[in-house]
């Protein structure tokens, strides 16, 4: 018979004295609230990181292959030939889902009253529209399958708003080159990804127009975008692509190398999360220490009796640690229910909203990592119990004779 | 069974026991009597290993108590000594039979074995129908008998009782006292009883009279 479990279960919520029972319930609720906030924090931070990076990768691809010219501007100056060993077979490599071409060219959009610099991103008929279609707010995608160059452009809502343009309008784009050239494509669609830094710059255009403007050959492109199946493979896959598939005269870089700031900013969220988790764990521990001391003091008489009956200190301490574990366990149950419930509410009703221009997303996204949640629970339980080992020493100070002399 | 020689105990300046010698034989019922403050309870606590003496030797069932560390002492107390206190000191959340089983569980006895023995004892003590009652559902005499069963569950070498009938009316006291003798007859149980109760003291095999920290 396990004496620890036998006794601990029976006395879990105090001796029926309403006051100590009340405090123990508060302790359980405090543990629960800590757990709830931990789950929500983790879900929000991971959701945020995932959603923002998903957008970034969706916009630009995970890896870009371009010429080795050291150009870091928005203009692809050195065209590369589309006939490469890796194109289009690279998408058959495990872990790579897609490869597509692009060519960028900056231009100035002018209206009667205004002008705005943008970058036209030329794409071809193989372009995967699944990302942009999610963020299409008006009109349609470009139709690039025709024999002729499509005189269509897809612009962002930011650009449209700044210049007062709408779907169906013609848009004059001027290119600073010798001799200066201009194009007047029709706006067929407006997108809004919320990635403000990209939205305010990019418009999608037929790559054949870019070739023509740049006097490139029919088989020349600015570069290739490579998409991966799983972003977690990013570092490994970028190395693979660079060393195994891309010839020496071409450069391949992943998006983290191209745009380190955003990813560092995303990584910074991890530190926020850790600070919150540590603080909340400490709150849970302090609450549980209070609860344990109350349990012990409430049970001085019982401790004395058990010792008189021959229970050793460790056996008695175990009863209280077990008891604390019951309280923590109930708290965790409550916390998980509450935390997951809140996450579900947010996922369903999206009541926490973010300013999109600062955070790239308009709704705080939720991502539940089940393994992390299980680990959070186990760690909270483990750390609390470890911390409670110290105050449980109080049990050894209670002498049977003082406890049993009076009732 | 118990040999205590020259037991001394002081609390600060106050010498409570000033060199007590006690010898208890197996199957004996010995009462310790004396005025309040004579040191009876202190002596009983020391004999019961609940407290350590400042000096002197204590041997119970061929074990030198002074040589045991706290953990060994707990285990020793569990196996070899049973207690009955003035207040029953049963745990209120547990039924009579569960209370009786607790010392056996502490000892690691399995549930079935402990319960069989507890039932046997409770039946012997006339509590067959009260086993699943909690302490607050029992009368004072019944509570004290459950406490006696608890003291006996591990078949201790000696039962130490501190004013066991101090809280009972005279009829119930009488019953409890008779029970001790019944148990001695049945199980050859040794008892050391601190008491103010004259009848009980006179019924016992021997009376140790304490005065000012000494046995006179």
């Amino acid at each position: 018979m396990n004496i620890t479990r036998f006794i601990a279960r029976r006395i879990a919520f105090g001796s029926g004295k309403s006051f100590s029972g009340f405090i123990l319930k508060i302790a359980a609720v405090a543990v629960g609230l800590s757990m709830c906030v931990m789950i929500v924090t983790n879900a929000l931070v991971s959701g945020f990181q995932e959603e923002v990076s998903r957008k970034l990768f969706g916009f630009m691809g995970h890896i870009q292959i371009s010429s080795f010219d050291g150009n870091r501007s928005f203009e692809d100056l050195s065209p590369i030939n589309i006939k490469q060993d890796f194109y289009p077979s690279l998408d058959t490599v495990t872990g790579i889902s897609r490869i597509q071409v692009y060519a960028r060219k900056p231009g100035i959009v002018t209206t009667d009253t205004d002008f705005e610099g943008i970058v036209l991103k030329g794409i071809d008929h193989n372009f995967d529209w699944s990302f942009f279609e999610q963020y299409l707010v008006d009109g349609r995608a470009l139709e690039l399958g025709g024999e002729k160059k499509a005189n269509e452009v897809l612009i962002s809502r930011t650009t449209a708003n700044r210049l007062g343009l709408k779907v169906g309008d013609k848009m004059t784009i001027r290119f600073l080159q010798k001799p200066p050239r201009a194009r007047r494509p029709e706006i067929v669609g407006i997108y809004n990804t919320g990635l403000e830094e990209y939205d305010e710059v990019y418009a999608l255009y037929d790559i054949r127009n870019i070739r023509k403007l740049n006097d490139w050959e029919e088989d020349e492109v600015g570069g290739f975008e490579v998409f991966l199946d799983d972003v977690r493979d990013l570092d490994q896959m970028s190395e693979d692509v660079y060393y195994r598939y891309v010839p020496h005269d071409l450069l391949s870089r992943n998006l983290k190398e191209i745009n380190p700031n955003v990813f560092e900013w995303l990584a910074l969220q991890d530190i926020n999360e850790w600070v919150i988790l540590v603080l909340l764990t400490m709150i849970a521990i302090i609450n549980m220490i209070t609860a344990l001391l109350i349990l012990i003091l409430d049970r001085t008489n019982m401790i004395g009796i058990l010792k008189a009956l021959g229970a050793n200190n460790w056996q008695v301490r175990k009863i209280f640690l077990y008891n604390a574990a019951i309280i923590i366990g109930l708290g965790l149950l409550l916390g998980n229910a509450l935390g997951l419930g809140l996450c579900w509410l947010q996922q369903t009703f999206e009541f926490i909203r973010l300013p999109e221009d600062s955070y790239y997303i308009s709704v705080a996204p939720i991502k539940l990592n089940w393994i992390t949640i299980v680990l959070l629970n186990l760690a909270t339980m483990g750390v609390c119990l470890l911390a409670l080992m110290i105050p449980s020493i109080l049990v050894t100070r209670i002498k049977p004779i003082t406890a049993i002399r009076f009732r | 069974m118990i040999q205590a020689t020259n037991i001394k105990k002081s609390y600060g300046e106050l010498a409570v026991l000033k060199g007590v010698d006690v010898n208890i034989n197996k199957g004996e019922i010995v009462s310790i009597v004396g005025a309040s403050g004579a040191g009876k309870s202190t002596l009983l606590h020391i004999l019961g290993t609940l407290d350590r003496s400042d000096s002197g030797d204590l041997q119970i069932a061929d074990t030198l108590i002074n040589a045991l560390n706290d953990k060994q002492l707990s285990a020793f107390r569990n196996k070899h000594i049973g207690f009955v206190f003035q207040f029953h000191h049963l745990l209120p959340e547990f039924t009579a039979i569960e209370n009786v089983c607790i010392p056996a569980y502490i000892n690691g006895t399995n549930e079935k074995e402990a319960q069989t023995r507890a039932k046997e004892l409770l039946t012997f003590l006339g509590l067959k129908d009260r086993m699943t009652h909690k302490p607050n559902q029992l009368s004072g005499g019944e509570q004290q008998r459950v406490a006696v069963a608890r003291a006996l569950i591990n078949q201790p070498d000696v039962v130490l009782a501190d004013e066991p009938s101090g809280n009972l009316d005279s009829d119930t006291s009488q019953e409890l006292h008779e029970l001790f003798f019944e148990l001695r007859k049945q199980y050859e149980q040794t008892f050391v009883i601190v008491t103010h109760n004259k009848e009980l003291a006179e019924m016992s095999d021997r009376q140790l009279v304490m005065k000012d920290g000494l046995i006179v």
Side-chain angles (χ1 to χ4, degrees):
Chain A
M1 186 65 178
N2 185 333
I3 184 78
T4 308
R5 207 165 52 208
F6 180 60
I7 295 180
R9 279 191 183 160
R10 197 66 65 86
I11 63 168
F13 275 93
S15 54
K17 287 180 205 158
S18 57
F19 185 64
S20 52
F22 179 64
I23 290 178
L24 299 177
K25 278 171 197 139
I26 288 185
V29 170
V31 171
L33 286 179
S34 300
M35 192 64 218
C36 164
V37 177
M38 285 195 233
I39 288 176
V40 173
T41 304
N42 178 264
L44 283 174
V45 170
S46 334
F48 180 72
Q49 289 173 326
E50 189 185 71
E51 188 62 18
V52 172
S53 54
R54 197 183 64 78
K55 272 193 185 184
L56 289 165
F57 291 123
F59 207 115
M60 318 268 296
H62 295 87
I63 300 167
Q64 289 192 356
I65 301 169
S66 58
S67 77
F68 222 135
D69 62 0
N71 170 27
R72 296 288 180 273
S73 76
F74 283 124
E75 180 154 26
D76 297 311
L77 295 169
S78 320
I80 54 182
N81 199 290
I82 200 168
K83 295 190 189 93
Q84 301 286 346
D85 289 343
F86 61 80
Y87 186 78
S89 62
L90 196 63
D91 62 5
T92 59
V93 173
T94 313
I96 293 177
S97 62
R98 172 158 199 87
I99 179 164
Q100 61 194 24
V101 300
Y102 69 88
R104 293 169 304 168
K105 185 168 182 66
I108 297 168
V109 182
T110 56
T111 64
D112 293 343
T113 54
D114 239 333
F115 66 91
E116 182 87 24
I118 62 163
V119 173
L120 292 166
K121 181 174 170 182
I123 53 177
D124 72 2
H125 60 281
N126 287 321
F127 186 77
D128 178 13
W129 283 99
S130 57
F131 175 76
F132 275 93
E133 271 167 354
Q134 289 173 54
Y135 299 106
L136 212 54
V137 292
D138 199 4
R140 59 168 173 81
L142 306 185
E143 278 169 9
L144 305 171
E147 288 283 306
K148 283 177 152 182
K149 296 190 283 286
N151 196 26
E152 303 178 341
V153 69
L154 179 80
I155 61 171
S156 72
R157 192 167 66 188
T158 313
T159 309
N161 288 346
R162 280 184 184 174
L163 297 170
L165 296 168
K166 56 186 188 301
V167 171
D169 287 354
K170 293 261 182 187
M171 178 170 104
T172 308
I173 314 167
R174 297 175 194 283
F175 300 95
L176 296 174
Q177 60 189 87
K178 276 183 186 173
R181 288 176 174 174
R183 290 288 183 273
R184 222 174 129 66
E186 182 191 345
I187 298 165
V188 296
I190 293 174
Y191 74 88
N192 179 46
T193 66
L195 295 169
E196 216 35 54
E197 288 162 33
Y198 295 98
D199 281 7
E200 67 183 15
V201 171
Y202 283 102
L204 298 185
Y205 200 30
D206 190 336
I207 195 170
R208 288 172 291 187
N209 292 316
I210 308 276
R211 286 191 189 120
K212 175 83 175 158
L213 284 161
N214 283 353
D215 298 322
W216 287 358
E217 300 296 328
E218 285 292 295
D219 54 4
E220 284 181 323
V221 295
F224 299 88
E225 287 174 344
V226 179
F227 292 82
L228 303 181
D229 290 328
D230 190 341
V231 67
R232 283 172 293 189
D233 301 334
L234 185 66
D235 294 325
Q236 182 58 44
M237 290 308 294
S238 359
E239 294 227 330
D240 272 14
V241 167
Y242 184 73
Y243 288 108
R244 292 177 57 185
Y245 300 106
V246 171
H248 298 303
D249 57 336
L250 296 183
L251 173 68
S252 87
R253 293 183 303 159
N254 68 40
L255 201 56
K256 277 187 187 168
E257 294 163 329
I258 297 168
N259 202 344
N261 295 347
V262 179
F263 288 95
E264 269 161 32
W265 172 64
L266 285 178
L268 206 61
Q269 310 303 318
D270 285 338
I271 296 175
N272 293 346
E273 185 181 345
W274 272 107
V275 170
I276 291 173
L277 295 190
V278 169
L279 282 176
L280 287 169
T281 311
M282 281 166 63
I283 290 172
I285 288 174
I286 290 168
N287 267 293
M288 281 314 299
I289 289 176
T290 315
L292 184 78
L293 293 181
I294 285 170
L295 266 173
I296 291 174
L297 294 176
D298 202 31
R299 291 280 168 179
T300 315
N301 187 255
M302 185 193 86
I303 294 167
I305 296 167
L306 288 175
K307 285 189 178 183
L309 298 178
N312 60 45
N313 282 321
W314 178 234
Q315 281 175 316
V316 181
R317 280 172 74 186
K318 274 199 300 187
I319 292 174
F320 288 95
L321 290 173
Y322 194 98
N323 219 322
I326 293 176
I327 295 172
I328 297 170
L330 285 174
L332 291 182
L333 266 181
L334 176 80
N336 282 288
L338 216 59
L340 295 174
L342 281 176
C343 287
W344 177 80
L345 284 176
Q346 168 64 7
Q347 248 171 350
T348 315
F349 300 108
E350 304 187 331
F351 55 86
I352 306 176
R353 307 196 74 87
L354 299 171
E356 195 168 22
D357 46 0
S358 332
Y359 290 100
Y360 299 158
I361 38 184
S362 57
V363 173
I366 293 289
K367 179 167 188 255
L368 295 173
N369 310 296
W370 295 106
I371 295 174
T372 312
I373 291 174
V374 171
L375 288 177
L376 274 177
N377 277 290
L378 292 178
T380 305
M381 178 67 90
V383 171
C384 280
L385 285 180
L386 265 181
L388 290 179
M389 297 288 280
I390 299 164
S392 77
I393 293 175
L394 178 64
V395 163
T396 64
R397 306 280 292 271
I398 295 172
K399 290 205 169 75
I401 44 169
T402 42
I404 60 185
R405 194 166 288 155
F406 309 101
R407 14 176 354 177
Chain B
M1 177 64 57
I2 300 179
Q3 289 102 37
T5 35
N6 201 22
I7 300 289
K8 289 184 181 169
K9 178 76 181 176
S10 309
Y11 291 108
E13 295 286 291
L14 181 72
V16 182
L17 300 179
K18 300 169 180 167
V20 175
D21 299 316
V22 179
N23 247 306
I24 313 282
N25 300 316
K26 186 165 172 57
E28 240 186 335
I29 297 186
V30 177
S31 58
I32 302 175
V33 296
S36 292
K40 307 186 296 292
S41 289
T42 305
L43 177 62
L44 197 78
H45 291 151
I46 289 171
L47 295 180
T49 74
L50 293 176
D51 206 352
R52 286 183 188 268
S53 59
D54 297 337
S55 67
D57 289 327
L58 175 61
Q59 197 174 337
I60 303 172
D62 301 326
T63 306
L64 272 172
I65 299 306
N66 302 23
L68 301 179
N69 65 27
D70 282 353
K71 197 175 172 186
Q72 292 166 326
L73 200 60
S74 295
F76 179 85
R77 192 156 61 228
N78 176 253
K79 288 191 187 74
H80 299 276
I81 301 171
F83 289 99
V84 179
F85 304 102
Q86 180 176 2
F87 306 105
H88 60 82
H89 285 308
L90 299 172
L91 301 182
E93 291 87 354
F94 296 87
T95 62
I97 189 164
E98 286 169 338
N99 264 291
V100 173
C101 285
I102 284 173
Y105 295 155
I106 291 173
N107 188 24
T109 311
N110 73 49
E111 195 175 345
K112 207 175 159 199
E113 203 178 312
Q115 286 194 353
T116 310
R117 167 114 180 109
K119 278 179 194 158
E120 201 180 292
L121 280 168
L122 287 168
T123 310
F124 182 83
L125 296 173
L127 294 165
K128 197 168 185 250
D129 304 323
R130 314 295 275 164
M131 289 189 204
T132 54
H133 290 63
K134 291 200 171 160
N136 61 8
Q137 298 166 310
L138 300 172
S139 70
E142 288 170 331
Q143 289 169 340
Q144 218 41 335
R145 277 183 281 157
V146 175
V148 172
R150 181 177 65 182
L152 294 169
I153 184 90
N154 283 347
Q155 291 161 296
D157 293 304
V158 59
V159 171
L160 303 178
D162 193 355
E163 305 271 11
S165 51
N167 261 12
L168 303 177
D169 62 56
S170 56
D171 284 355
T172 322
S173 297
Q174 184 63 31
E175 278 172 34
L176 186 71
H177 299 156
E178 281 165 8
L179 200 61
F180 291 152
F181 290 90
E182 196 71 18
L183 284 164
R184 191 256 300 265
K185 204 166 119 194
Q186 190 83 11
Y187 300 112
E188 218 191 334
Q189 185 64 55
T190 314
F191 285 91
V192 179
I193 307 168
V194 166
T195 185
H196 279 123
N197 187 301
K198 273 220 169 78
E199 289 166 41
L200 175 58
E202 277 159 15
M203 281 163 80
S204 61
D205 303 338
R206 259 195 302 152
Q207 293 187 42
L208 302 176
V209 183
M210 286 199 73
K211 197 179 175 191
D212 295 332
L214 287 167
I215 288 177
V216 292

